[in-house]
Amino acid sequence: MSLMIVTGIDQLVDQVHSYLPDADEAVIRRAYEFSAKAHEGQTRRSGEPYLQHPLAVAGILTFLKLDMTAIIAALLHDTLEDTVATQEELRAQFGDEVTHLVEGVTKIGLIPFQTYEEKQAENFRKMLLSMADDIRVVFIKLADRLHNMRTLAHMSESKQQQIAQETLEIYAPLANRLGMSWMKQELEDLCFQYSKPEAYSLLKLRVAKRDEEREEYVDSIIDTTRDALAKAGLTGDVEGRPKHLYSVHQKMERQGITFDEVYDLAAIRVITDTRMNCYAVLGLIHSLWPPVHGRFKDYIATPRTNLYQSLHTTVLGPQGQHIEFQIRTEDMHRLAEYGVASHWRYKEQTRVGDRDEKVFSWLRQFVEWHRDLSDNRQFMDSVKLDLFHLDVFHDVVFAFTPNGEVKELPLGANPLDFAYSIHTEIGDHCIGAKVNGKIVPLRHQLNSGDTVEILKSPTQTPQREWLKFVRTTRARAKIKHWLKVEEQKRGLELGRRLLDREFRQHNLPATELLQSDQLLQAASDSGHQSLDEMVRMVGYGRLSAAEIVNKFLDPATQEQPGGTEGKDVPIITHALKPIKSVKVLGGRDVMMQLSKCCSPVPGDPIMGYITRGRGLTIHSQGCPNLQALDYEKDRLIEVEWDPEIQGNHSVKVCVLTVDQPGVLAKVSTAISSSQANISRAEISTREDQKAVLDFVVEVSNILHLDRTLDAVGKIEGVISAKRVRGWEDPRSR
């Protein structure tokens, strides 16, 4: 697509007047002069005056045919960030609307950040919130990034790599989600050029050479199509469209093929007059060349979330070559190239139409999905994943609600993803679904055309296991948020219990002190933002209850270091290390140890016990030692295995065999073949011609242990193979 580069104010004014003949030229020139004065003396890395950048950004927006307010804001977009100009000056000269746009584009400047990633996350979070309020913010931001990418050659190589990666992960997919395919393609090719310069240069040469060879072939296909349209009396403008380099590179990488195996380097586009004729043209093309199975997509009947509409089909052309056709109307084509900007106009009292509302509904949802993610790394990972998930056309399915509303989801999505796409509460209480009238489990993969009815229960709540199979970022974010809130509630409850017990052990009024201003002051003095936060830290084991209660004691009676006799020791103890595979409420870094008396492994039901002096000990729920502690129920804490953490756990195994040569070798081989590691072995024989083989083996979970024991039990000569607990006599047979 030809995009003229604007280099002067006269040229910019002419561009604006080409689609806004009544535009106020004086205001445009005044904004230009304000920007020129503000940026006076500033230059870019290329050595050219800095003013060329805002001028070029404004020029890109004229190509999108944006309104006067956006053009003026583009001319001024860097004045608040890079000059001494103030919001008050902008507001006085250009009004609230322009100032609001400029402020929305301005990066977060004075706030100190520890890492570049943290600053990037906050800047993008600010842009998301701003664009949900006024989408012109993101148009200006994308135009700004496009011009920066066009002039990236003047930056250092490390900076080129950093900016290119950020653009590829965020801005190119964002342009695609807003329907601006030409911008997405140019951004991707520029990123490819700077992130992989050698691969880019080589592919560019090879594509150019192939284009020369294939030009005659493509022209013949176009001529055949035009002749067929004319004979059928169908209106249609036919043109060839070379695929951009990055898409060719992606195809080679994704499919693991060489350049010589890429056949569809060019696509042919047919633009007709009506929606009905799109299907007529499709039928005509399929009558000329056979369609390739599985390569037809109808984005007219089911438009993408960015409103893109077109028919895609791949046919087997002459000489067995694959040819891709895209068929659409003029209106669809304009939307495909310019996206939301092609039909959104900012005029006073203009109402948002149904088609526009779909886009702005997505924008509002997009912001809502990520609003709860306070962790910057999680926020950026979530945003990148959500932008990228539906970036490739063939990676989506279209499912319908019983009322006929279409939901666009990534390939592999299930009823739980579907439920969360409707509403958070529906997802939280989802217990199953009916797909096309049949009850299916939550893991069931949806297909395009499925009608999905969600089954709910008021007692159902999100489960950690759901995170293993949901596909959409929205579902994952909502499940994690619910779990985090619940873990915080449980942490608060446990923290209060521990503080209550500690206060009572010192004969202090626990109920009164837990609600006192003194405890609130103690939280403030220790650097916590709230009393609840401090109490949660106690519940998570990151803060000692005794340390807090000591502040309420007479110094003469305070517990001295080492004086732990008869006292409850807080969960956290520096002598122990965190067991990553076990979760205590919300605290992953709680100090604990697995009990040696029962040696639990993932899959065993477990319970935590607060010991005196040895932190938190994890027992199997059937452990006799734990049952003996039942009278101290206030020391018992609910814990669970973390399904996301994998690791090895030691288990004692006793194998009874016939005492004959080769049995030990066979048993060892069976254990190793089960991917279990032997860390210790002891062999003894008995007078009854039997041998006892005692092992300590490393397994990942209870199922792994069962498979290992089953494999050993099948060996000829093995009488029994059993797990041994600490309280059992391994030789009692």
Side-chain angles (χ1 to χ4, degrees), residues 44-72:
R44 306 195 83 211
R45 292 289 182 94
S46 61
E48 68 179 3
Y50 193 89
L51 184 62
Q52 290 300 313
H53 172 64
L55 196 60
V57 172
I60 293 171
L61 297 189
T62 64
F63 182 71
L64 294 172
K65 296 181 171 55
L66 289 194
D67 66 329
M68 276 277 293
T69 304
I71 302 300
I72 294 168

PDB file of all heavy atoms in Angstrom, residues 44-72:
ATOM      1  N   ARG A  44      16.963  14.371  16.304  1.00  0.00           N
ATOM      2  CA  ARG A  44      16.836  12.925  16.458  1.00  0.00           C
ATOM      3  C   ARG A  44      18.203  12.280  16.246  1.00  0.00           C
ATOM      4  O   ARG A  44      19.165  12.950  15.883  1.00  0.00           O
ATOM      5  CB  ARG A  44      15.828  12.368  15.443  1.00  0.00           C
ATOM      6  CG  ARG A  44      14.472  13.054  15.496  1.00  0.00           C
ATOM      7  CD  ARG A  44      13.433  12.240  14.769  1.00  0.00           C
ATOM      8  NE  ARG A  44      12.893  11.187  15.623  1.00  0.00           N
ATOM      9  CZ  ARG A  44      12.467  10.014  15.173  1.00  0.00           C
ATOM     10  NH1 ARG A  44      12.548   9.741  13.883  1.00  0.00           N
ATOM     11  NH2 ARG A  44      11.977   9.110  15.988  1.00  0.00           N
ATOM     12  N   ARG A  45      18.308  10.977  16.460  1.00  0.00           N
ATOM     13  CA  ARG A  45      19.579  10.267  16.295  1.00  0.00           C
ATOM     14  C   ARG A  45      20.127  10.401  14.879  1.00  0.00           C
ATOM     15  O   ARG A  45      21.325  10.344  14.662  1.00  0.00           O
ATOM     16  CB  ARG A  45      19.386   8.779  16.632  1.00  0.00           C
ATOM     17  CG  ARG A  45      19.087   8.503  18.097  1.00  0.00           C
ATOM     18  CD  ARG A  45      20.302   8.733  18.967  1.00  0.00           C
ATOM     19  NE  ARG A  45      20.029   8.414  20.358  1.00  0.00           N
ATOM     20  CZ  ARG A  45      20.268   7.239  20.930  1.00  0.00           C
ATOM     21  NH1 ARG A  45      20.781   6.262  20.198  1.00  0.00           N
ATOM     22  NH2 ARG A  45      20.004   7.039  22.207  1.00  0.00           N
ATOM     23  N   SER A  46      19.214  10.588  13.920  1.00  0.00           N
ATOM     24  CA  SER A  46      19.628  10.729  12.516  1.00  0.00           C
ATOM     25  C   SER A  46      20.260  12.087  12.241  1.00  0.00           C
ATOM     26  O   SER A  46      20.865  12.299  11.202  1.00  0.00           O
ATOM     27  CB  SER A  46      18.416  10.545  11.600  1.00  0.00           C
ATOM     28  OG  SER A  46      17.442  11.550  11.872  1.00  0.00           O
ATOM     29  N   GLY A  47      20.082  13.020  13.169  1.00  0.00           N
ATOM     30  CA  GLY A  47      20.605  14.370  12.983  1.00  0.00           C
ATOM     31  C   GLY A  47      19.569  15.345  12.453  1.00  0.00           C
ATOM     32  O   GLY A  47      19.794  16.560  12.475  1.00  0.00           O
ATOM     33  N   GLU A  48      18.408  14.842  12.013  1.00  0.00           N
ATOM     34  CA  GLU A  48      17.372  15.728  11.498  1.00  0.00           C
ATOM     35  C   GLU A  48      16.627  16.395  12.650  1.00  0.00           C
ATOM     36  O   GLU A  48      16.619  15.875  13.777  1.00  0.00           O
ATOM     37  CB  GLU A  48      16.386  14.947  10.617  1.00  0.00           C
ATOM     38  CG  GLU A  48      15.537  13.945  11.377  1.00  0.00           C
ATOM     39  CD  GLU A  48      14.552  13.207  10.478  1.00  0.00           C
ATOM     40  OE1 GLU A  48      14.565  13.429   9.265  1.00  0.00           O
ATOM     41  OE2 GLU A  48      13.766  12.403  11.021  1.00  0.00           O
ATOM     42  N   PRO A  49      16.012  17.554  12.414  1.00  0.00           N
ATOM     43  CA  PRO A  49      15.267  18.243  13.477  1.00  0.00           C
ATOM     44  C   PRO A  49      14.189  17.330  14.052  1.00  0.00           C
ATOM     45  O   PRO A  49      13.516  16.595  13.320  1.00  0.00           O
ATOM     46  CB  PRO A  49      14.654  19.447  12.752  1.00  0.00           C
ATOM     47  CG  PRO A  49      15.530  19.666  11.570  1.00  0.00           C
ATOM     48  CD  PRO A  49      16.007  18.317  11.143  1.00  0.00           C
ATOM     49  N   TYR A  50      14.001  17.374  15.364  1.00  0.00           N
ATOM     50  CA  TYR A  50      13.027  16.511  16.030  1.00  0.00           C
ATOM     51  C   TYR A  50      11.620  16.747  15.501  1.00  0.00           C
ATOM     52  O   TYR A  50      10.782  15.830  15.480  1.00  0.00           O
ATOM     53  CB  TYR A  50      13.049  16.742  17.544  1.00  0.00           C
ATOM     54  CG  TYR A  50      12.297  15.676  18.298  1.00  0.00           C
ATOM     55  CD1 TYR A  50      12.936  14.522  18.727  1.00  0.00           C
ATOM     56  CD2 TYR A  50      10.925  15.804  18.538  1.00  0.00           C
ATOM     57  CE1 TYR A  50      12.241  13.527  19.392  1.00  0.00           C
ATOM     58  CE2 TYR A  50      10.221  14.808  19.203  1.00  0.00           C
ATOM     59  CZ  TYR A  50      10.878  13.677  19.626  1.00  0.00           C
ATOM     60  OH  TYR A  50      10.191  12.682  20.269  1.00  0.00           O
ATOM     61  N   LEU A  51      11.359  17.964  15.027  1.00  0.00           N
ATOM     62  CA  LEU A  51      10.027  18.321  14.548  1.00  0.00           C
ATOM     63  C   LEU A  51       9.552  17.404  13.424  1.00  0.00           C
ATOM     64  O   LEU A  51       8.347  17.228  13.221  1.00  0.00           O
ATOM     65  CB  LEU A  51      10.018  19.778  14.080  1.00  0.00           C
ATOM     66  CG  LEU A  51       8.668  20.350  13.630  1.00  0.00           C
ATOM     67  CD1 LEU A  51       7.665  20.337  14.772  1.00  0.00           C
ATOM     68  CD2 LEU A  51       8.853  21.772  13.104  1.00  0.00           C
ATOM     69  N   GLN A  52      10.488  16.788  12.692  1.00  0.00           N
ATOM     70  CA  GLN A  52      10.105  15.899  11.599  1.00  0.00           C
ATOM     71  C   GLN A  52       9.328  14.683  12.106  1.00  0.00           C
ATOM     72  O   GLN A  52       8.521  14.113  11.379  1.00  0.00           O
ATOM     73  CB  GLN A  52      11.352  15.437  10.829  1.00  0.00           C
ATOM     74  CG  GLN A  52      12.015  16.531  10.011  1.00  0.00           C
ATOM     75  CD  GLN A  52      11.061  17.113   8.967  1.00  0.00           C
ATOM     76  OE1 GLN A  52      10.391  16.379   8.240  1.00  0.00           O
ATOM     77  NE2 GLN A  52      10.983  18.437   8.919  1.00  0.00           N
ATOM     78  N   HIS A  53       9.590  14.299  13.345  1.00  0.00           N
ATOM     79  CA  HIS A  53       8.892  13.120  13.893  1.00  0.00           C
ATOM     80  C   HIS A  53       7.401  13.389  14.118  1.00  0.00           C
ATOM     81  O   HIS A  53       6.557  12.647  13.583  1.00  0.00           O
ATOM     82  CB  HIS A  53       9.577  12.660  15.181  1.00  0.00           C
ATOM     83  CG  HIS A  53       8.824  11.579  15.905  1.00  0.00           C
ATOM     84  ND1 HIS A  53       8.604  10.322  15.368  1.00  0.00           N
ATOM     85  CD2 HIS A  53       8.212  11.577  17.128  1.00  0.00           C
ATOM     86  CE1 HIS A  53       7.896   9.596  16.223  1.00  0.00           C
ATOM     87  NE2 HIS A  53       7.645  10.332  17.300  1.00  0.00           N
ATOM     88  N   PRO A  54       7.009  14.405  14.893  1.00  0.00           N
ATOM     89  CA  PRO A  54       5.555  14.643  15.060  1.00  0.00           C
ATOM     90  C   PRO A  54       4.868  14.961  13.741  1.00  0.00           C
ATOM     91  O   PRO A  54       3.689  14.617  13.553  1.00  0.00           O
ATOM     92  CB  PRO A  54       5.485  15.821  16.034  1.00  0.00           C
ATOM     93  CG  PRO A  54       6.837  16.424  16.053  1.00  0.00           C
ATOM     94  CD  PRO A  54       7.805  15.330  15.740  1.00  0.00           C
ATOM     95  N   LEU A  55       5.591  15.579  12.800  1.00  0.00           N
ATOM     96  CA  LEU A  55       5.018  15.867  11.485  1.00  0.00           C
ATOM     97  C   LEU A  55       4.724  14.565  10.738  1.00  0.00           C
ATOM     98  O   LEU A  55       3.666  14.404  10.122  1.00  0.00           O
ATOM     99  CB  LEU A  55       5.990  16.745  10.691  1.00  0.00           C
ATOM    100  CG  LEU A  55       5.455  17.462   9.452  1.00  0.00           C
ATOM    101  CD1 LEU A  55       4.303  18.397   9.824  1.00  0.00           C
ATOM    102  CD2 LEU A  55       6.578  18.264   8.795  1.00  0.00           C
ATOM    103  N   ALA A  56       5.664  13.615  10.818  1.00  0.00           N
ATOM    104  CA  ALA A  56       5.469  12.324  10.148  1.00  0.00           C
ATOM    105  C   ALA A  56       4.334  11.534  10.801  1.00  0.00           C
ATOM    106  O   ALA A  56       3.543  10.879  10.110  1.00  0.00           O
ATOM    107  CB  ALA A  56       6.764  11.517  10.191  1.00  0.00           C
ATOM    108  N   VAL A  57       4.237  11.595  12.122  1.00  0.00           N
ATOM    109  CA  VAL A  57       3.164  10.889  12.835  1.00  0.00           C
ATOM    110  C   VAL A  57       1.800  11.446  12.424  1.00  0.00           C
ATOM    111  O   VAL A  57       0.858  10.699  12.145  1.00  0.00           O
ATOM    112  CB  VAL A  57       3.360  11.000  14.359  1.00  0.00           C
ATOM    113  CG1 VAL A  57       2.142  10.445  15.103  1.00  0.00           C
ATOM    114  CG2 VAL A  57       4.617  10.261  14.794  1.00  0.00           C
ATOM    115  N   ALA A  58       1.700  12.772  12.349  1.00  0.00           N
ATOM    116  CA  ALA A  58       0.453  13.398  11.906  1.00  0.00           C
ATOM    117  C   ALA A  58       0.131  12.983  10.472  1.00  0.00           C
ATOM    118  O   ALA A  58      -1.033  12.755  10.119  1.00  0.00           O
ATOM    119  CB  ALA A  58       0.561  14.914  12.019  1.00  0.00           C
ATOM    120  N   GLY A  59       1.171  12.880   9.629  1.00  0.00           N
ATOM    121  CA  GLY A  59       0.969  12.461   8.244  1.00  0.00           C
ATOM    122  C   GLY A  59       0.398  11.058   8.143  1.00  0.00           C
ATOM    123  O   GLY A  59      -0.465  10.784   7.301  1.00  0.00           O
ATOM    124  N   ILE A  60       0.872  10.131   9.004  1.00  0.00           N
ATOM    125  CA  ILE A  60       0.338   8.763   9.007  1.00  0.00           C
ATOM    126  C   ILE A  60      -1.145   8.770   9.374  1.00  0.00           C
ATOM    127  O   ILE A  60      -1.953   8.028   8.805  1.00  0.00           O
ATOM    128  CB  ILE A  60       1.144   7.885   9.987  1.00  0.00           C
ATOM    129  CG1 ILE A  60       2.577   7.698   9.464  1.00  0.00           C
ATOM    130  CG2 ILE A  60       0.470   6.531  10.192  1.00  0.00           C
ATOM    131  CD1 ILE A  60       3.517   7.030  10.453  1.00  0.00           C
ATOM    132  N   LEU A  61      -1.519   9.653  10.300  1.00  0.00           N
ATOM    133  CA  LEU A  61      -2.933   9.729  10.698  1.00  0.00           C
ATOM    134  C   LEU A  61      -3.813  10.297   9.581  1.00  0.00           C
ATOM    135  O   LEU A  61      -4.990   9.956   9.491  1.00  0.00           O
ATOM    136  CB  LEU A  61      -3.085  10.571  11.965  1.00  0.00           C
ATOM    137  CG  LEU A  61      -2.407  10.030  13.227  1.00  0.00           C
ATOM    138  CD1 LEU A  61      -2.822  10.839  14.441  1.00  0.00           C
ATOM    139  CD2 LEU A  61      -2.727   8.556  13.450  1.00  0.00           C
ATOM    140  N   THR A  62      -3.245  11.162   8.737  1.00  0.00           N
ATOM    141  CA  THR A  62      -4.034  11.652   7.589  1.00  0.00           C
ATOM    142  C   THR A  62      -4.302  10.513   6.613  1.00  0.00           C
ATOM    143  O   THR A  62      -5.325  10.504   5.928  1.00  0.00           O
ATOM    144  CB  THR A  62      -3.325  12.805   6.856  1.00  0.00           C
ATOM    145  OG1 THR A  62      -2.102  12.344   6.275  1.00  0.00           O
ATOM    146  CG2 THR A  62      -3.043  13.965   7.786  1.00  0.00           C
ATOM    147  N   PHE A  63      -3.364   9.565   6.540  1.00  0.00           N
ATOM    148  CA  PHE A  63      -3.574   8.398   5.688  1.00  0.00           C
ATOM    149  C   PHE A  63      -4.749   7.582   6.199  1.00  0.00           C
ATOM    150  O   PHE A  63      -5.494   6.978   5.422  1.00  0.00           O
ATOM    151  CB  PHE A  63      -2.298   7.559   5.655  1.00  0.00           C
ATOM    152  CG  PHE A  63      -2.381   6.355   4.760  1.00  0.00           C
ATOM    153  CD1 PHE A  63      -2.412   6.501   3.381  1.00  0.00           C
ATOM    154  CD2 PHE A  63      -2.439   5.081   5.289  1.00  0.00           C
ATOM    155  CE1 PHE A  63      -2.491   5.402   2.550  1.00  0.00           C
ATOM    156  CE2 PHE A  63      -2.522   3.976   4.468  1.00  0.00           C
ATOM    157  CZ  PHE A  63      -2.544   4.133   3.095  1.00  0.00           C
ATOM    158  N   LEU A  64      -4.925   7.582   7.548  1.00  0.00           N
ATOM    159  CA  LEU A  64      -6.066   6.892   8.150  1.00  0.00           C
ATOM    160  C   LEU A  64      -7.324   7.756   8.131  1.00  0.00           C
ATOM    161  O   LEU A  64      -8.382   7.327   8.590  1.00  0.00           O
ATOM    162  CB  LEU A  64      -5.737   6.508   9.597  1.00  0.00           C
ATOM    163  CG  LEU A  64      -4.631   5.470   9.789  1.00  0.00           C
ATOM    164  CD1 LEU A  64      -4.286   5.325  11.266  1.00  0.00           C
ATOM    165  CD2 LEU A  64      -5.036   4.131   9.212  1.00  0.00           C
ATOM    166  N   LYS A  65      -7.159   9.004   7.638  1.00  0.00           N
ATOM    167  CA  LYS A  65      -8.270   9.955   7.541  1.00  0.00           C
ATOM    168  C   LYS A  65      -8.907  10.247   8.908  1.00  0.00           C
ATOM    169  O   LYS A  65     -10.138  10.292   9.043  1.00  0.00           O
ATOM    170  CB  LYS A  65      -9.327   9.468   6.538  1.00  0.00           C
ATOM    171  CG  LYS A  65      -8.812   9.389   5.104  1.00  0.00           C
ATOM    172  CD  LYS A  65      -9.902   8.929   4.157  1.00  0.00           C
ATOM    173  CE  LYS A  65      -9.469   9.061   2.707  1.00  0.00           C
ATOM    174  NZ  LYS A  65      -8.213   8.373   2.372  1.00  0.00           N
ATOM    175  N   LEU A  66      -8.055  10.454   9.910  1.00  0.00           N
ATOM    176  CA  LEU A  66      -8.562  10.790  11.233  1.00  0.00           C
ATOM    177  C   LEU A  66      -8.955  12.256  11.311  1.00  0.00           C
ATOM    178  O   LEU A  66      -8.592  13.067  10.462  1.00  0.00           O
ATOM    179  CB  LEU A  66      -7.522  10.462  12.298  1.00  0.00           C
ATOM    180  CG  LEU A  66      -7.285   8.974  12.570  1.00  0.00           C
ATOM    181  CD1 LEU A  66      -6.496   8.812  13.856  1.00  0.00           C
ATOM    182  CD2 LEU A  66      -8.583   8.184  12.682  1.00  0.00           C
ATOM    183  N   ASP A  67      -9.662  12.608  12.375  1.00  0.00           N
ATOM    184  CA  ASP A  67     -10.218  13.950  12.503  1.00  0.00           C
ATOM    185  C   ASP A  67      -9.165  14.980  12.910  1.00  0.00           C
ATOM    186  O   ASP A  67      -8.029  14.647  13.232  1.00  0.00           O
ATOM    187  CB  ASP A  67     -11.370  13.928  13.510  1.00  0.00           C
ATOM    188  CG  ASP A  67     -10.870  13.613  14.911  1.00  0.00           C
ATOM    189  OD1 ASP A  67      -9.877  12.874  15.040  1.00  0.00           O
ATOM    190  OD2 ASP A  67     -11.455  14.123  15.876  1.00  0.00           O
ATOM    191  N   MET A  68      -9.586  16.251  12.926  1.00  0.00           N
ATOM    192  CA  MET A  68      -8.693  17.362  13.237  1.00  0.00           C
ATOM    193  C   MET A  68      -8.075  17.229  14.628  1.00  0.00           C
ATOM    194  O   MET A  68      -6.889  17.504  14.827  1.00  0.00           O
ATOM    195  CB  MET A  68      -9.475  18.678  13.153  1.00  0.00           C
ATOM    196  CG  MET A  68      -9.571  19.237  11.747  1.00  0.00           C
ATOM    197  SD  MET A  68      -8.085  20.152  11.355  1.00  0.00           S
ATOM    198  CE  MET A  68      -8.255  21.532  12.492  1.00  0.00           C
ATOM    199  N   THR A  69      -8.868  16.821  15.604  1.00  0.00           N
ATOM    200  CA  THR A  69      -8.368  16.725  16.973  1.00  0.00           C
ATOM    201  C   THR A  69      -7.193  15.754  17.046  1.00  0.00           C
ATOM    202  O   THR A  69      -6.180  16.023  17.702  1.00  0.00           O
ATOM    203  CB  THR A  69      -9.485  16.263  17.928  1.00  0.00           C
ATOM    204  OG1 THR A  69     -10.586  17.156  17.822  1.00  0.00           O
ATOM    205  CG2 THR A  69      -8.997  16.228  19.362  1.00  0.00           C
ATOM    206  N   ALA A  70      -7.314  14.606  16.380  1.00  0.00           N
ATOM    207  CA  ALA A  70      -6.241  13.608  16.393  1.00  0.00           C
ATOM    208  C   ALA A  70      -4.992  14.131  15.681  1.00  0.00           C
ATOM    209  O   ALA A  70      -3.864  13.897  16.136  1.00  0.00           O
ATOM    210  CB  ALA A  70      -6.721  12.317  15.741  1.00  0.00           C
ATOM    211  N   ILE A  71      -5.176  14.848  14.556  1.00  0.00           N
ATOM    212  CA  ILE A  71      -4.032  15.385  13.810  1.00  0.00           C
ATOM    213  C   ILE A  71      -3.274  16.399  14.671  1.00  0.00           C
ATOM    214  O   ILE A  71      -2.032  16.382  14.752  1.00  0.00           O
ATOM    215  CB  ILE A  71      -4.496  16.050  12.494  1.00  0.00           C
ATOM    216  CG1 ILE A  71      -5.266  15.052  11.621  1.00  0.00           C
ATOM    217  CG2 ILE A  71      -3.310  16.629  11.746  1.00  0.00           C
ATOM    218  CD1 ILE A  71      -4.485  13.838  11.215  1.00  0.00           C
ATOM    219  N   ILE A  72      -4.006  17.279  15.338  1.00  0.00           N
ATOM    220  CA  ILE A  72      -3.379  18.297  16.196  1.00  0.00           C
ATOM    221  C   ILE A  72      -2.658  17.623  17.364  1.00  0.00           C
ATOM    222  O   ILE A  72      -1.532  17.971  17.714  1.00  0.00           O
ATOM    223  CB  ILE A  72      -4.440  19.295  16.706  1.00  0.00           C
ATOM    224  CG1 ILE A  72      -4.993  20.102  15.530  1.00  0.00           C
ATOM    225  CG2 ILE A  72      -3.861  20.232  17.755  1.00  0.00           C
ATOM    226  CD1 ILE A  72      -6.233  20.893  15.858  1.00  0.00           C
TER     227      ILE A  72
END
